[in-house]
Amino acid sequence: MNAGNWSSRAINRLTDNGALSKKIKKNIYGKLQTIKVIFPSGFADVALDTINHILNNLWLPQTSHSEITLIGNEIYIRNIHMFSVIELLLRSQCLTDIRLVIFQGKTFNKFAFEKKCQSMPWDYYLNKSMALKIKVTSIASNAFHETALKKILTEIISPYTLEVASADELNETTCLYADLYKNKLTLSISLAGEALYKKGYRGILSASAPLREDAAAACIIKALQFGKQNNINYVPETVLIPFSGTGTFAFEFLQNYFNVSPALFQRQYVIEKMPLFRAENFNYLLKKAIKNCLLPNVEHADRTPEVLCIDNSKNANHACTNNIENFNHLLEMSKLYCIKPKLLDVDFFAMDFSAIEFALEHDVFIMLNPPYGLRLNKNANTDQLYHNIAKKILELSTITKSKILGFILCPTESAWSVFIKILKHAKTQTYHFNQGGMDIRVCQFYI
Ligand SMILES: C[S@@+](CC[C@H](N)C(=O)[O-])C[C@H]1O[C@@H](n2cnc3c(N)ncnc32)[C@H](O)[C@@H]1O
């Protein structure tokens, strides 16, 4: 069949909505699916824990047992019901993308690729309101060239979409992936559209080099696990965030603590535009997200954490204040009211801990993403900065009666080593992750 015939057949299928609904019911909701989960690099363990936690505690339970496999930098979940896929999409704090696998199998040459792509039921996934980007990767294969494959795929799916956007355009609603490894083809489509870490509460303050929300959430999950390993009764009650910048750690902490599903921030997921979307199921999960969120009980809780952001930059504090407003405004739209982080406009190194408003009698959680020179491209003395921070944490440990759990992002081996030497009496654990191409060591400590 040539591309011309295929186009007219595609349009016929698009008009046949009743039949299409039946097919979607049978093939998408009536069969178990496979998805690919993308997570921030270096956080496979946290992503796997999160997925297992959600699938073992589903709001809409599935009877099947999903098979979860880590392959390189991706997690494959097979035998998963579409309702559970949507639950993962709406609930996970630290995942980057969820892609529905449309096809996986052998494809021996360009013609077989074309035939396979032509036989796909694109009308389940695409419609004329969606602009699409196509990404093709071909690894270890002589038979497949990325540019030629992209051209074939573009021609086949164009009749189903508003447009296929070019690589440098930013107007796509979602992305279709064709990944070839030797002769194995995987076709998948993002159900998130815009990356899941764009949760919607954050404005832009590029100079502060903020962490991506998914990576910040993963750091927090890991640190709280480390806290529990050291002391099963550890609860973060006083939360200190020096160098808080735009406040990412504060917001990610609050979401974690109060079990706020990212879906409650009113962001759009591209699945809402897809023909396979079922609003009833989606709205049911949104209601469950509100029910399972702990914020409505804040007023009745004995104690809620005090969150203190510390930054001496007017610009950063202005951006943080805007983000606090956005964060609360978005929650209010779901009729949820959140505690507000407090902002302290002081130099962290000059800070008098004994004078801070709230008691230091409660367990402390401290999160540090310092303004290290390397990342901001200045010739600052990073080792000295890490030396001073460690000394300040020791000072805090002499003032507070309780335990201190924390983590610090270190840009170099030597900054990490300076820091860990000063905290030699603390229990520590280090792991690595990748932020914008930089290898970051994260030192977790418990004092
Ligand atoms: C790397 S940024 C932190 C980014 C932050 N995690 C975020 O998500 O936006 C460092 C921040 O430290 C602040 N800062 C630098 N020196 C400081 C000091 N001595 N005391 C308090 N804040 C400081 C800067 O104003 C900047 O906002």
Side-chain angles (χ1 to χ4, degrees), residues 202 208-211 243-249 310-313 316 346-349 369-371 375:
R202 194 160 87 166
S208 82
L211 258 190
F243 319 111
S244 50
T246 56
T248 309
F249 280 147
I310 304 150
D311 201 298
N312 62 354
S313 147
V346 294
D347 179 343
F348 174 60
F349 299 106
N369 179 17
R375 208 160 53 125

Side-chain angles (χ1 to χ4, degrees), residues 135-184:
K135 286 194 183 153
V136 180
T137 55
S138 172
I139 297 169
S141 162
N142 291 330
F144 300 106
H145 298 285
E146 291 171 2
T147 318
L149 298 181
K150 194 169 167 178
K151 194 164 172 269
I152 293 171
L153 199 48
T154 303
E155 230 163 74
I156 292 172
I157 64 163
S158 284
Y160 295 90
T161 60
L162 180 66
E163 64 168 322
V164 176
S166 65
D168 49 354
E169 283 177 302
L170 291 171
N171 55 350
E172 81 275 12
T173 355
T174 193
C175 194
L176 174 67
Y177 297 85
D179 299 308
L180 274 145
Y181 178 70
K182 294 186 178 164
N183 55 16
K184 190 177 171 192

